[in-house]
Coordinates of all heavy atoms in Angstrom, one line a residue:
M77 N 3.6 -0.6 -20.3 CA 3.8 0.3 -21.4 C 2.7 1.3 -21.3 O 1.5 1.0 -21.2 CB 3.8 -0.4 -22.7 CG 4.0 0.5 -23.9 SD 5.5 0.0 -24.7 CE 5.5 1.0 -26.1
S78 N 3.0 2.6 -21.6 CA 2.0 3.7 -21.5 C 1.6 4.1 -23.0 O 2.4 4.0 -23.9 CB 2.6 4.9 -20.8 OG 1.8 5.9 -20.9
N79 N 0.4 4.6 -23.1 CA -0.1 5.1 -24.3 C 0.0 6.6 -24.3 O -0.7 7.3 -25.1 CB -1.5 4.7 -24.6 CG -1.6 3.2 -24.9 OD1 -0.6 2.6 -25.5 ND2 -2.7 2.6 -24.6
E80 N 0.8 7.2 -23.5 CA 0.9 8.7 -23.4 C 1.5 9.2 -24.6 O 2.5 8.8 -25.1 CB 1.7 9.0 -22.2 CG 1.1 8.7 -20.9 CD 2.0 9.2 -19.7 OE1 2.6 10.2 -19.9 OE2 1.9 8.5 -18.7
I81 N 0.9 10.2 -25.2 CA 1.4 11.0 -26.3 C 1.4 12.4 -26.0 O 0.4 13.0 -25.7 CB 0.6 10.8 -27.6 CG1 0.5 9.3 -28.0 CG2 1.1 11.7 -28.7 CD1 -0.4 9.0 -29.1
I82 N 2.6 13.0 -25.9 CA 2.7 14.4 -25.7 C 3.5 15.0 -26.8 O 4.6 14.6 -27.1 CB 3.4 14.8 -24.3 CG1 2.6 14.1 -23.2 CG2 3.6 16.2 -24.1 CD1 3.3 14.2 -21.8
E83 N 2.9 15.9 -27.6 CA 3.4 16.4 -28.8 C 3.4 18.0 -28.7 O 2.4 18.6 -28.4 CB 2.6 16.0 -30.0 CG 3.0 16.5 -31.3 CD 2.1 16.0 -32.4 OE1 1.2 15.2 -32.2 OE2 2.4 16.4 -33.6
L84 N 4.5 18.6 -28.9 CA 4.6 20.0 -28.9 C 4.6 20.5 -30.4 O 5.4 20.0 -31.2 CB 5.9 20.5 -28.3 CG 6.2 22.0 -28.3 CD1 5.1 22.7 -27.5 CD2 7.6 22.3 -27.8
I85 N 3.6 21.3 -30.7 CA 3.5 21.8 -32.1 C 3.8 23.3 -32.0 O 3.3 24.1 -31.2 CB 2.0 21.6 -32.6 CG1 1.7 20.1 -32.6 CG2 1.8 22.2 -34.0 CD1 0.2 19.9 -32.9
G86 N 4.7 23.7 -32.9 CA 5.1 25.2 -32.9 C 6.3 25.4 -32.1 O 7.2 24.5 -32.1
T87 N 6.3 26.5 -31.3 CA 7.4 26.8 -30.6 C 7.1 26.8 -29.1 O 5.9 26.6 -28.7 CB 7.9 28.2 -30.9 OG1 6.9 29.1 -30.6 CG2 8.2 28.3 -32.4
E88 N 8.0 27.0 -28.2 CA 7.8 27.1 -26.8 C 7.4 28.5 -26.4 O 7.4 28.9 -25.2 CB 9.0 26.7 -26.1 CG 9.3 25.2 -26.3 CD 10.5 24.7 -25.5 OE1 10.9 25.4 -24.5 OE2 11.0 23.6 -25.8
S89 N 7.0 29.3 -27.3 CA 6.5 30.7 -27.0 C 5.1 30.6 -26.4 O 4.5 29.6 -26.4 CB 6.5 31.5 -28.3 OG 5.5 31.0 -29.2
P90 N 4.7 31.7 -25.7 CA 3.4 31.7 -25.1 C 2.2 31.3 -26.0 O 1.2 30.8 -25.5 CB 3.2 33.1 -24.6 CG 4.6 33.6 -24.4 CD 5.4 32.9 -25.6
N91 N 2.3 31.6 -27.3 CA 1.2 31.3 -28.2 C 1.5 30.0 -28.9 O 0.8 29.6 -29.9 CB 1.0 32.4 -29.2 CG 2.2 32.6 -30.0 OD1 3.3 32.1 -29.9 ND2 2.1 33.5 -31.0
G92 N 2.4 29.2 -28.5 CA 2.7 27.8 -29.1 C 1.5 26.9 -28.7 O 0.7 27.2 -27.9
H93 N 1.4 25.8 -29.4 CA 0.3 24.8 -29.1 C 0.9 23.5 -28.6 O 2.0 23.1 -29.1 CB -0.4 24.5 -30.4 CG -1.1 25.7 -31.0 ND1 -0.4 26.7 -31.7 CD2 -2.4 26.0 -31.0 CE1 -1.3 27.6 -32.1 NE2 -2.5 27.2 -31.6
I94 N 0.2 22.9 -27.7 CA 0.6 21.6 -27.2 C -0.6 20.8 -27.3 O -1.7 21.1 -26.9 CB 1.1 21.7 -25.7 CG1 2.3 22.5 -25.6 CG2 1.4 20.3 -25.2 CD1 2.8 22.8 -24.2
R95 N -0.4 19.6 -27.9 CA -1.5 18.6 -28.1 C -1.1 17.5 -27.1 O -0.1 16.9 -27.2 CB -1.6 18.1 -29.5 CG -2.6 17.0 -29.6 CD -2.7 16.5 -31.1 NE -3.3 17.6 -31.8 CZ -3.1 17.8 -33.1 NH1 -2.2 17.0 -33.8 NH2 -3.6 18.8 -33.8
V96 N -2.1 17.2 -26.2 CA -1.9 16.1 -25.3 C -3.0 15.1 -25.3 O -4.2 15.5 -25.3 CB -1.8 16.7 -23.8 CG1 -1.5 15.6 -22.8 CG2 -0.7 17.7 -23.8
R97 N -2.7 13.9 -25.5 CA -3.7 12.8 -25.4 C -3.2 11.8 -24.4 O -2.2 11.2 -24.6 CB -3.8 12.2 -26.8 CG -4.9 11.1 -26.8 CD -5.1 10.6 -28.2 NE -3.9 10.1 -28.8 CZ -3.7 10.1 -30.1 NH1 -4.6 10.4 -31.0 NH2 -2.6 9.6 -30.7
L98 N -3.9 11.7 -23.3 CA -3.4 10.8 -22.2 C -4.5 9.8 -21.8 O -5.7 10.1 -21.9 CB -3.1 11.6 -21.0 CG -2.0 12.7 -21.0 CD1 -2.0 13.5 -19.7 CD2 -0.7 12.0 -21.3
D99 N -4.1 8.7 -21.5 CA -5.0 7.7 -20.9 C -4.3 7.4 -19.5 O -3.5 6.6 -19.4 CB -5.1 6.4 -21.7 CG -6.0 5.4 -21.1 OD1 -6.8 5.8 -20.2 OD2 -6.1 4.3 -21.6
L100 N -4.7 8.2 -18.6 CA -4.1 8.2 -17.3 C -5.1 8.5 -16.2 O -6.0 9.4 -16.3 CB -3.0 9.3 -17.3 CG -2.1 9.6 -16.1 CD1 -1.2 8.4 -15.9 CD2 -1.3 10.9 -16.4
E101 N -5.0 7.8 -15.1 CA -5.9 8.0 -14.0 C -5.2 9.0 -13.1 O -4.1 8.8 -12.8 CB -6.1 6.7 -13.2 CG -7.0 5.8 -14.0 CD -7.5 4.6 -13.1 OE1 -7.6 4.8 -11.9 OE2 -7.7 3.5 -13.7
L102 N -6.0 10.1 -12.8 CA -5.5 11.1 -11.9 C -6.3 11.3 -10.7 O -7.5 10.9 -10.8 CB -5.5 12.5 -12.7 CG -4.6 12.6 -13.9 CD1 -4.9 13.9 -14.7 CD2 -3.2 12.6 -13.5
P103 N -5.8 11.8 -9.7 CA -6.6 12.2 -8.5 C -7.7 13.2 -8.9 O -7.5 14.0 -9.9 CB -5.6 12.8 -7.5 CG -4.3 12.3 -7.9 CD -4.4 12.1 -9.4
H104 N -8.8 13.1 -8.3 CA -10.0 13.9 -8.7 C -9.6 15.4 -8.8 O -10.0 16.1 -9.8 CB -11.1 13.7 -7.6 CG -12.3 14.6 -7.9 ND1 -13.2 14.2 -8.9 CD2 -12.8 15.7 -7.4 CE1 -14.2 15.1 -9.0 NE2 -13.9 16.0 -8.1
E105 N -8.9 15.9 -7.8 CA -8.6 17.4 -7.9 C -7.8 17.8 -9.1 O -8.1 18.7 -9.8 CB -7.8 17.8 -6.6 CG -7.6 19.3 -6.5 CD -6.9 19.6 -5.2 OE1 -7.3 19.1 -4.1 OE2 -6.0 20.5 -5.2
Q106 N -6.8 17.0 -9.4 CA -5.9 17.3 -10.6 C -6.7 17.1 -11.9 O -6.6 17.9 -12.8 CB -4.7 16.4 -10.6 CG -3.7 16.8 -9.5 CD -2.6 15.8 -9.5 OE1 -2.6 14.7 -9.9 NE2 -1.4 16.3 -8.9
A107 N -7.5 16.1 -11.9 CA -8.4 15.8 -13.1 C -9.3 17.0 -13.3 O -9.6 17.5 -14.5 CB -9.2 14.5 -13.0
M108 N -9.9 17.5 -12.3 CA -10.9 18.6 -12.3 C -10.1 19.9 -12.8 O -10.7 20.7 -13.5 CB -11.6 18.9 -11.0 CG -12.5 17.7 -10.6 SD -13.7 17.3 -12.0 CE -14.7 18.8 -11.9
Q109 N -8.9 20.1 -12.4 CA -8.1 21.2 -12.8 C -7.9 21.2 -14.3 O -8.0 22.2 -15.0 CB -6.8 21.3 -12.1 CG -6.9 21.7 -10.7 CD -5.5 21.6 -9.9 OE1 -4.5 21.1 -10.5 NE2 -5.5 22.1 -8.7
I110 N -7.5 20.0 -14.8 CA -7.4 19.9 -16.3 C -8.6 20.1 -17.0 O -8.7 20.8 -18.0 CB -6.7 18.4 -16.6 CG1 -5.4 18.3 -16.1 CG2 -6.8 18.2 -18.1 CD1 -4.7 17.0 -16.1
L111 N -9.7 19.5 -16.5 CA -11.0 19.7 -17.1 C -11.4 21.2 -17.1 O -11.9 21.7 -18.1 CB -12.1 18.9 -16.4 CG -13.5 18.9 -17.0 CD1 -13.4 18.3 -18.4 CD2 -14.4 18.1 -16.1
Q112 N -11.1 21.9 -16.1 CA -11.5 23.3 -16.0 C -10.6 24.1 -17.0 O -11.2 25.0 -17.7 CB -11.2 23.9 -14.6 CG -11.7 25.3 -14.4 CD -13.1 25.5 -14.6 OE1 -13.9 24.8 -14.1 NE2 -13.5 26.5 -15.4
T113 N -9.4 23.7 -17.2 CA -8.5 24.4 -18.2 C -9.1 24.2 -19.6 O -9.2 25.1 -20.4 CB -7.1 23.8 -18.1 OG1 -6.6 24.1 -16.8 CG2 -6.2 24.4 -19.2
V114 N -9.5 23.0 -19.9 CA -10.2 22.7 -21.2 C -11.4 23.5 -21.4 O -11.6 24.1 -22.4 CB -10.4 21.2 -21.3 CG1 -11.3 20.9 -22.6 CG2 -9.1 20.4 -21.4
H115 N -12.3 23.5 -20.3 CA -13.6 24.3 -20.5 C -13.3 25.8 -20.6 O -13.9 26.4 -21.4 CB -14.4 24.0 -19.3 CG -15.1 22.7 -19.3 ND1 -16.0 22.3 -20.2 CD2 -14.9 21.6 -18.4 CE1 -16.4 21.1 -20.0 NE2 -15.8 20.6 -18.9
D116 N -12.3 26.3 -19.9 CA -11.9 27.7 -20.0 C -11.5 28.0 -21.5 O -11.9 29.0 -22.0 CB -10.9 28.1 -19.0 CG -11.3 28.1 -17.6 OD1 -12.6 28.1 -17.4 OD2 -10.5 28.2 -16.7
Y117 N -10.7 27.1 -22.0 CA -10.2 27.4 -23.4 C -11.3 27.4 -24.4 O -11.5 28.2 -25.2 CB -9.2 26.3 -23.7 CG -8.6 26.4 -25.1 CD1 -7.8 27.5 -25.5 CD2 -9.1 25.5 -26.1 CE1 -7.3 27.6 -26.8 CE2 -8.7 25.7 -27.4 CZ -7.8 26.7 -27.7 OH -7.3 26.8 -29.0
K118 N -12.2 26.3 -24.2 CA -13.4 26.3 -25.1 C -14.3 27.5 -25.0 O -14.8 28.0 -26.0 CB -14.1 25.0 -24.9 CG -13.4 23.8 -25.4 CD -14.2 22.5 -25.2 CE -13.5 21.3 -25.9 NZ -14.3 20.1 -25.7
D119 N -14.5 28.0 -23.8 CA -15.3 29.2 -23.6 C -14.7 30.4 -24.2 O -15.4 31.2 -24.8 CB -15.5 29.4 -22.1 CG -16.5 28.4 -21.4 OD1 -17.2 27.7 -22.1 OD2 -16.5 28.4 -20.2
H120 N -13.3 30.5 -24.1 CA -12.6 31.6 -24.7 C -12.8 31.6 -26.2 O -13.0 32.6 -26.9 CB -11.2 31.5 -24.3 CG -10.3 32.6 -24.9 ND1 -10.4 33.9 -24.4 CD2 -9.4 32.6 -25.8 CE1 -9.6 34.7 -25.1 NE2 -8.9 33.9 -26.0
Q121 N -12.7 30.4 -26.8 CA -12.9 30.3 -28.3 C -14.3 30.7 -28.7 O -14.4 31.4 -29.7 CB -12.6 28.8 -28.7 CG -11.2 28.5 -28.9 CD -11.0 27.0 -29.4 OE1 -11.7 26.1 -29.1 NE2 -10.1 26.9 -30.4
L122 N -15.3 30.2 -27.9 CA -16.7 30.6 -28.3 C -16.9 32.1 -28.2 O -17.6 32.7 -29.0 CB -17.6 29.9 -27.3 CG -17.8 28.4 -27.6 CD1 -18.7 27.8 -26.5 CD2 -18.4 28.1 -28.9
K123 N -16.3 32.7 -27.1 CA -16.5 34.2 -27.0 C -15.7 34.9 -28.2 O -16.3 35.9 -28.7 CB -15.9 34.7 -25.7 CG -16.7 34.2 -24.5 CD -16.1 34.7 -23.2 CE -16.9 34.2 -22.0 NZ -16.3 34.5 -20.7
E124 N -14.6 34.4 -28.6 CA -13.9 35.1 -29.7 C -14.7 34.9 -31.0 O -14.8 35.8 -31.8 CB -12.5 34.4 -29.9 CG -11.5 34.9 -28.9 CD -10.1 34.3 -29.2 OE1 -10.0 33.4 -30.0 OE2 -9.1 34.7 -28.5
E125 N -15.3 33.7 -31.2 CA -16.1 33.5 -32.4 C -17.3 34.4 -32.4 O -17.7 35.0 -33.4 CB -16.5 32.1 -32.5 CG -15.4 31.1 -32.8 CD -15.8 29.6 -32.8 OE1 -16.9 29.4 -32.6 OE2 -14.8 28.8 -32.9
A126 N -17.9 34.5 -31.2 CA -19.1 35.4 -31.1 C -18.8 36.9 -31.4 O -19.5 37.6 -32.1 CB -19.8 35.2 -29.7
A127 N -17.6 37.3 -30.8 CA -17.2 38.7 -31.0 C -16.9 38.9 -32.5 O -17.2 39.9 -33.1 CB -15.9 39.0 -30.2
K128 N -16.2 37.9 -33.2 CA -15.9 38.1 -34.6 C -17.3 38.1 -35.4 O -17.4 38.9 -36.3 CB -15.1 36.9 -35.1 CG -14.7 37.0 -36.6 CD -13.9 35.8 -37.0 CE -13.5 35.8 -38.4 NZ -14.5 36.1 -39.4
H129 N -18.2 37.3 -35.0 CA -19.5 37.3 -35.7 C -20.2 38.7 -35.5 O -20.7 39.2 -36.5 CB -20.4 36.2 -35.2 CG -21.8 36.2 -35.8 ND1 -21.9 35.8 -37.1 CD2 -23.0 36.5 -35.3 CE1 -23.3 35.9 -37.4 NE2 -23.9 36.3 -36.3
R130 N -20.2 39.3 -34.3 CA -20.7 40.6 -34.1 C -20.0 41.6 -34.9 O -20.7 42.5 -35.5 CB -20.7 40.9 -32.6 CG -21.7 40.2 -31.7 CD -21.8 40.8 -30.3 NE -20.5 40.8 -29.6 CZ -20.0 39.8 -28.9 NH1 -20.7 38.7 -28.7 NH2 -18.9 39.9 -28.3
R131 N -18.7 41.6 -35.0 CA -18.0 42.6 -35.8 C -18.4 42.4 -37.3 O -18.6 43.5 -37.9 CB -16.5 42.4 -35.6 CG -15.9 42.9 -34.3 CD -14.4 42.9 -34.3 NE -13.8 41.7 -34.5 CZ -13.5 40.7 -33.6 NH1 -13.8 41.0 -32.3 NH2 -12.9 39.6 -33.9
D132 N -18.4 41.2 -37.7 CA -18.7 41.0 -39.2 C -20.1 41.5 -39.4 O -20.4 42.1 -40.5 CB -18.6 39.5 -39.6 CG -17.2 39.0 -39.5 OD1 -16.3 39.9 -39.5 OD2 -17.0 37.8 -39.6
E133 N -21.1 41.2 -38.5 CA -22.5 41.6 -38.7 C -22.5 43.2 -38.7 O -23.3 43.8 -39.5 CB -23.3 41.1 -37.6 CG -24.8 41.3 -37.8 CD -25.4 40.7 -39.0 OE1 -24.8 39.7 -39.5 OE2 -26.5 41.2 -39.5
A134 N -21.8 43.9 -37.8 CA -21.8 45.3 -37.7 C -21.2 45.9 -39.0 O -21.8 46.9 -39.5 CB -21.0 45.8 -36.5
E135 N -20.1 45.3 -39.5 CA -19.6 45.8 -40.8 C -20.6 45.6 -41.9 O -20.7 46.5 -42.8 CB -18.3 45.1 -41.1 CG -17.1 45.4 -40.1 CD -15.9 44.6 -40.5 OE1 -15.8 44.0 -41.6 OE2 -15.0 44.6 -39.6
R136 N -21.3 44.5 -41.9 CA -22.2 44.3 -43.0 C -23.4 45.3 -43.0 O -23.8 45.9 -43.9 CB -22.8 42.9 -42.9 CG -23.8 42.5 -44.0 CD -24.5 41.2 -43.7 NE -25.3 41.2 -42.5 CZ -26.6 41.8 -42.5 NH1 -27.1 42.4 -43.5 NH2 -27.3 41.8 -41.4
R137 N -23.9 45.6 -41.7 CA -25.0 46.5 -41.6 C -24.4 48.0 -41.9 O -25.2 48.7 -42.6 CB -25.5 46.6 -40.1 CG -26.3 45.4 -39.8 CD -27.1 45.7 -38.4 NE -26.2 45.9 -37.4 CZ -25.7 45.1 -36.5 NH1 -26.0 43.8 -36.6 NH2 -24.8 45.4 -35.5
K138 N -23.2 48.3 -41.6 CA -22.6 49.6 -42.0 C -22.5 49.7 -43.5 O -22.9 50.7 -44.0 CB -21.3 49.7 -41.3 CG -20.6 51.1 -41.6 CD -19.3 51.2 -40.8 CE -18.6 52.5 -41.2 NZ -17.3 52.6 -40.5
A139 N -22.1 48.7 -44.1 CA -21.9 48.7 -45.6 C -23.3 48.8 -46.3 O -23.5 49.6 -47.2 CB -21.2 47.4 -46.1
E140 N -24.3 48.1 -45.7 CA -25.7 48.2 -46.3 C -26.2 49.6 -46.1 O -26.8 50.2 -47.0 CB -26.6 47.2 -45.6 CG -26.4 45.8 -46.0 CD -27.3 44.8 -45.3 OE1 -28.0 45.3 -44.4 OE2 -27.3 43.6 -45.7
A141 N -26.0 50.2 -44.9 CA -26.4 51.6 -44.7 C -25.7 52.6 -45.6 O -26.4 53.5 -46.2 CB -26.2 52.0 -43.2
E142 N -24.5 52.4 -45.8 CA -23.8 53.3 -46.8 C -24.3 53.1 -48.1 O -24.4 54.1 -48.9 CB -22.2 53.0 -46.7 CG -21.6 53.5 -45.4 CD -20.1 53.1 -45.3 OE1 -19.6 52.5 -46.2 OE2 -19.5 53.5 -44.3
A143 N -24.6 51.9 -48.5 CA -25.1 51.7 -49.9 C -26.5 52.3 -50.1 O -26.8 52.9 -51.1 CB -25.2 50.2 -50.2
R144 N -27.3 52.2 -49.0 CA -28.6 52.8 -49.1 C -28.5 54.3 -49.2 O -29.2 55.0 -49.9 CB -29.5 52.5 -47.9 CG -30.1 51.1 -47.9 CD -31.1 50.9 -46.9 NE -30.6 51.1 -45.5 CZ -30.1 50.2 -44.8 NH1 -29.9 49.0 -45.2 NH2 -29.7 50.5 -43.5
K145 N -27.5 54.9 -48.4 CA -27.4 56.3 -48.4 C -26.8 56.8 -49.8 O -27.3 57.8 -50.3 CB -26.3 56.7 -47.3 CG -26.1 58.2 -47.1 CD -25.1 58.4 -46.0 CE -24.8 59.9 -45.8 NZ -23.9 60.1 -44.7
A146 N -25.9 56.0 -50.4 CA -25.4 56.4 -51.7 C -26.5 56.3 -52.7 O -26.6 57.2 -53.6 CB -24.2 55.5 -52.1
A147 N -27.3 55.3 -52.6 CA -28.4 55.1 -53.6 C -29.4 56.3 -53.4 O -30.0 56.8 -54.4 CB -29.1 53.8 -53.4
K148 N -29.7 56.7 -52.2 CA -30.6 57.8 -52.0 C -30.1 59.0 -52.5 O -30.8 59.9 -53.1 CB -30.9 57.9 -50.5 CG -31.9 58.9 -50.1 CD -32.2 58.9 -48.6 CE -33.3 60.0 -48.3 NZ -33.5 60.0 -46.8
A149 N -28.8 59.3 -52.3 CA -28.1 60.5 -52.8 C -28.1 60.5 -54.3 O -28.4 61.6 -54.9 CB -26.7 60.6 -52.2
E150 N -27.9 59.4 -54.9 CA -28.0 59.3 -56.4 C -29.4 59.5 -56.9 O -29.5 60.3 -57.9 CB -27.5 57.9 -56.8 CG -27.2 57.8 -58.3 CD -26.1 58.7 -58.8 OE1 -25.1 58.9 -58.1 OE2 -26.2 59.1 -60.0
A151 N -30.4 59.0 -56.2 CA -31.7 59.3 -56.6 C -32.1 60.7 -56.4 O -32.7 61.3 -57.4 CB -32.7 58.4 -55.8
E152 N -31.7 61.4 -55.4 CA -31.9 62.8 -55.3 C -31.2 63.6 -56.3 O -31.8 64.6 -56.9 CB -31.4 63.3 -53.8 CG -32.3 62.8 -52.7 CD -33.7 63.4 -52.7 OE1 -33.8 64.6 -53.0 OE2 -34.6 62.7 -52.4
K153 N -30.0 63.2 -56.6 CA -29.2 63.9 -57.7 C -29.9 63.8 -59.0 O -30.1 64.7 -59.8 CB -27.9 63.3 -57.7 CG -26.9 64.0 -58.6 CD -25.5 63.4 -58.5 CE -24.5 64.1 -59.4 NZ -23.2 63.4 -59.3
A154 N -30.4 62.5 -59.3 CA -31.1 62.3 -60.6 C -32.4 63.1 -60.6 O -32.8 63.6 -61.7 CB -31.4 60.8 -60.8
K155 N -33.1 63.1 -59.5 CA -34.4 63.8 -59.4 C -34.2 65.3 -59.7 O -34.9 65.9 -60.4 CB -35.0 63.6 -58.0 CG -36.4 64.2 -57.8 CD -36.9 63.8 -56.5 CE -38.3 64.4 -56.2 NZ -38.8 64.1 -54.9
K156 N -33.2 65.9 -59.0 CA -32.8 67.3 -59.2 C -32.5 67.6 -60.6 O -32.8 68.6 -61.3 CB -31.8 67.8 -58.2 CG -32.2 67.8 -56.8 CD -31.1 68.3 -55.9 CE -31.5 68.4 -54.5 NZ -30.4 68.8 -53.6
S157 N -31.6 66.7 -61.2 CA -31.2 66.9 -62.6 C -32.3 66.8 -63.5 O -32.4 67.5 -64.5 CB -30.1 65.8 -62.9 OG -29.7 65.9 -64.3
G158 N -33.2 65.8 -63.3 CA -34.4 65.7 -64.1 C -35.4 66.9 -64.0 O -35.9 67.3 -65.0
A159 N -35.5 67.4 -62.8 CA -36.4 68.5 -62.6 C -35.8 69.8 -63.2 O -36.5 70.6 -63.8 CB -36.6 68.8 -61.1
G160 N -34.5 69.9 -63.2 CA -33.8 71.1 -63.8 C -34.0 71.0 -65.3 O -34.2 72.0 -66.0
K161 N -33.8 69.9 -65.9 CA -34.0 69.7 -67.4 C -35.4 70.0 -67.8 O -35.6 70.6 -68.8 CB -33.6 68.3 -67.8 CG -32.1 68.0 -67.8 CD -31.8 66.6 -68.2 CE -30.3 66.3 -68.1 NZ -30.0 64.9 -68.4
S162 N -36.4 69.6 -67.0 CA -37.8 69.9 -67.3 C -38.1 71.3 -67.2 O -38.8 71.9 -68.1 CB -38.7 69.2 -66.3 OG -38.6 67.7 -66.4
S163 N -37.6 72.0 -66.3 CA -37.7 73.5 -66.1 C -37.1 74.2 -67.3 O -37.7 75.1 -67.9 CB -37.1 74.0 -64.8 OG -37.8 73.4 -63.7
N164 N -35.9 73.8 -67.7 CA -35.2 74.4 -68.8 C -36.0 74.2 -70.1 O -36.1 75.0 -71.0 CB -33.8 73.9 -68.9 CG -32.9 74.4 -67.9 OD1 -33.2 75.4 -67.2 ND2 -31.8 73.7 -67.6
A165 N -36.5 72.9 -70.3 CA -37.2 72.6 -71.5 C -38.5 73.4 -71.6 O -38.9 73.9 -72.6 CB -37.5 71.1 -71.5
T166 N -39.2 73.6 -70.5 CA -40.4 74.4 -70.4 C -40.1 75.8 -70.7 O -40.8 76.5 -71.5 CB -41.1 74.2 -69.0 OG1 -41.3 72.8 -68.8 CG2 -42.4 74.9 -69.0
A167 N -39.0 76.4 -70.1 CA -38.7 77.7 -70.4 C -38.3 78.0 -71.8 O -38.6 79.0 -72.4 CB -37.5 78.1 -69.4
T168 N -37.6 77.0 -72.4 CA -37.2 77.2 -73.8 C -38.4 77.2 -74.7 O -38.5 77.9 -75.7 CB -36.3 76.0 -74.2 OG1 -35.2 76.0 -73.3 CG2 -35.7 76.2 -75.6
K169 N -39.4 76.3 -74.5 CA -40.6 76.3 -75.3 C -41.5 77.5 -75.1 O -42.0 78.0 -76.1 CB -41.5 75.1 -74.9 CG -40.9 73.7 -75.3 CD -41.9 72.6 -74.9 CE -41.3 71.3 -75.3 NZ -42.1 70.1 -74.9
A170 N -41.4 78.1 -74.0 CA -42.2 79.4 -73.7 C -41.6 80.5 -74.5 O -42.2 81.5 -74.9 CB -42.2 79.7 -72.2
D171 N -40.3 80.5 -74.8 CA -39.6 81.6 -75.4 C -40.0 81.6 -76.9 O -40.3 82.2 -77.7 CB -38.1 81.5 -75.4 CG -37.6 81.8 -74.0 OD1 -38.3 82.4 -73.2 OD2 -36.5 81.3 -73.7

C-alpha cells in the first residue's frame, strides 16, 4: 500500500495549484529535477516578496517626501501671510 497523496487544488489552468506529498524512492536524476523545481519556485517567491518590499518602501518614501514638501509649502505660505500682515499692521500704525 502506498502513502502517495496527489491533490489538485483549483483548476487545471496554468495558475492552478497542485499539492504533492510523496514517500517514494526515485532515481537520483529524477529526484534532483524535482528538487530543482522546488528550489526554483521558492527562489521565485523570494524574488517576488523582495520586489514587493522594494515597491512598498519606494511608495512610503515618496509619500514622506510629498508630506515634507506640502508641510514646507504650508510653512512658506504661513510665513508669507504672517509677513504680509505685519507689513500691513505697521503701515496702518504709521498712517
Side-chain angles (χ1 to χ4, degrees):
M77 180 119 177
S78 174
N79 288 334
E80 293 182 31
I81 298 173
I82 300 175
E83 180 182 357
L84 178 65
I85 299 173
T87 64
E88 293 182 18
S89 66
N91 60 353
H93 294 81
I94 297 175
R95 175 178 293 150
V96 180
R97 182 174 54 204
L98 298 172
D99 184 8
L100 181 65
E101 288 189 32
L102 295 171
H104 180 74
E105 186 176 317
Q106 289 176 336
M108 293 307 292
Q109 288 174 350
I110 292 170
L111 185 62
Q112 186 62 45
T113 300
V114 170
H115 285 296
D116 289 346
Y117 178 74
K118 287 182 177 182
D119 288 344
H120 180 71
Q121 280 185 317
L122 288 174
K123 287 178 184 177
E124 283 183 354
E125 289 173 8
K128 183 182 182 306
H129 179 70
R130 284 191 304 270
R131 284 191 302 270
D132 291 346
E133 186 65 22
E135 288 177 17
R136 184 189 62 77
R137 285 193 306 264
K138 183 178 177 182
E140 287 176 354
E142 288 175 0
R144 283 192 304 272
K145 184 177 179 181
K148 184 177 179 180
E150 189 66 31
E152 288 292 323
K153 188 176 180 181
K155 185 177 179 182
K156 287 180 182 178
S157 177
K161 287 180 182 178
S162 296
S163 297
N164 288 340
T166 306
T168 305
K169 287 181 182 179
D171 289 340

